[in-house]
């Protein structure tokens, strides 16, 4: 049986972790981003379908393409973050199920009638795994839904010639080392009896 992680780990991943509104001028190496993905990819999805696709934007050219689609309140912090991830999903994720679920390649047909629902639900799970992985490896996260989804899809996916043309944006998340002076006071959370039921 696995042992619980210690309180220090819980603080890093949950209790002390905050959504960031600013970032320090401190670089994040690509090797760390790859390590984040290698942790996140281990999280479970339906039939291991793994529909999430992650576009890591770090170059000035990439940011120049992305920033016009960010809402005004999200533009400055996205420009400052060393990495910005377009959390997306692949509408043709089922094509990879024979590779990802080899003991039952026909499982790709389980999702014929609910492709987008499955892709959206499971990619959202995977995006959350990616954020927890990033926090676990010492990075701060700033998830955002304030952006022009249709514009991002046109610029980064629909205009492409490869597999990316079948991807769709879910949400966007900045990664880096947060500027603690720009964090807002923590908002309340629901207590167990407000948000839960035991049957």
């Amino acid at each position: 049986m696995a042992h619980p992680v210690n309180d220090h780990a819980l603080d890093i991943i949950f209790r002390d972790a905050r959504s960031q509104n600013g970032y320090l001028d401190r670089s994040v190496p690509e090797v760390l981003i790859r390590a984040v993905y290698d942790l996140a990819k281990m999280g479970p999805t339906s039939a291991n379908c793994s529909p999430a696709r992650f576009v890591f934007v770090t170059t000035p050219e990439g940011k120049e393409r992305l920033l016009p689609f960010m809402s005004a309140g999200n533009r400055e912090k996205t420009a400052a973050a060393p990495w910005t991830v377009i959390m997306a999903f692949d509408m043709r994720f089922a094509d990879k199920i024979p590779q990802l679920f080899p003991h039952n390649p026909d499982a790709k047909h389980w999702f014929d009638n609910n492709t987008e629902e499955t892709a959206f639900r499971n990619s959202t799970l995977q995006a959350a795994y990616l954020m927890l992985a990033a926090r676990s490896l010492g990075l701060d996260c700033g998830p955002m839904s304030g952006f022009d989804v249709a514009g991002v899809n046109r610029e980064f996916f629909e205009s492409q010639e490869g597999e990316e043309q079948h991807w769709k944006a879910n949400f966007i998340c900045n990664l880096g080392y947060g500027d603690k002076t720009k964090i807002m006071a923590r908002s309340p959370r629901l207590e167990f009896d407000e948000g839960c039921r035991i049957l």
Side-chain angles (χ1 to χ4, degrees):
M1 181 180 294
H3 296 287
V5 298
N6 61 36
D7 269 350
H8 178 62
L10 294 175
D11 287 342
I12 290 172
I13 300 169
F14 292 105
R15 298 183 187 125
D16 294 337
R18 303 295 306 280
S19 293
Q20 300 297 315
N21 289 308
Y23 295 86
L24 302 176
D25 184 15
R26 182 178 169 194
S27 64
V28 175
E30 182 179 329
V31 66
L32 182 53
I33 296 300
R34 289 177 175 272
V36 166
Y37 174 77
D38 283 340
L39 279 179
K41 72 182 182 183
M42 303 309 292
T45 55
S46 300
N48 199 35
C49 65
S50 306
R53 303 293 182 263
F54 304 104
V55 178
F56 292 96
V57 182
T58 189
T59 65
E61 295 79 13
K63 289 292 184 83
E64 187 175 329
R65 291 172 61 193
L66 178 62
L67 288 175
F69 301 111
M70 302 304 298
S71 63
N74 290 332
R75 203 165 292 141
E76 182 179 347
K77 56 189 172 184
T78 301
W83 294 82
T84 301
V85 191
I86 303 172
M87 308 284 203
F89 56 92
D90 185 356
M91 288 295 291
R92 292 195 175 177
F93 71 88
D95 291 347
K96 295 189 183 296
I97 287 181
Q99 169 190 343
L100 297 170
F101 205 63
H103 59 283
N104 187 355
D106 288 336
K108 67 178 294 183
H109 299 297
W110 294 353
F111 308 105
D112 288 346
N113 297 320
N114 63 350
T115 298
E116 186 155 6
E117 178 183 345
T118 298
F120 182 78
R121 178 184 299 121
N122 285 274
S123 72
T124 303
L125 277 173
Q126 290 185 275
Y129 300 149
L130 189 108
M131 290 172 57
L132 295 178
R135 287 175 170 181
S136 299
L137 294 179
L139 294 175
D140 291 306
C141 304
M144 302 167 288
S145 56
F147 68 102
D148 178 354
V149 178
V152 168
N153 284 338
R154 283 194 307 272
E155 175 68 23
F156 289 89
F157 305 133
E158 294 167 6
S159 63
Q160 304 304 305
E161 295 183 0
E163 292 183 356
E164 292 93 328
Q165 66 183 259
H166 305 293
W167 299 4
K168 292 186 178 185
N170 185 346
F171 67 97
I172 288 177
C173 184
N174 290 324
L175 298 177
Y177 298 102
D179 181 348
K180 308 306 182 191
T181 67
K182 296 186 177 179
I183 295 176
M184 296 182 292
R186 187 187 287 281
S187 298
R189 300 297 197 268
L190 297 178
E191 296 297 330
F192 185 90
D193 290 337
E194 296 177 282
C196 307
R197 295 292 183 267
I198 298 177
L199 303 178

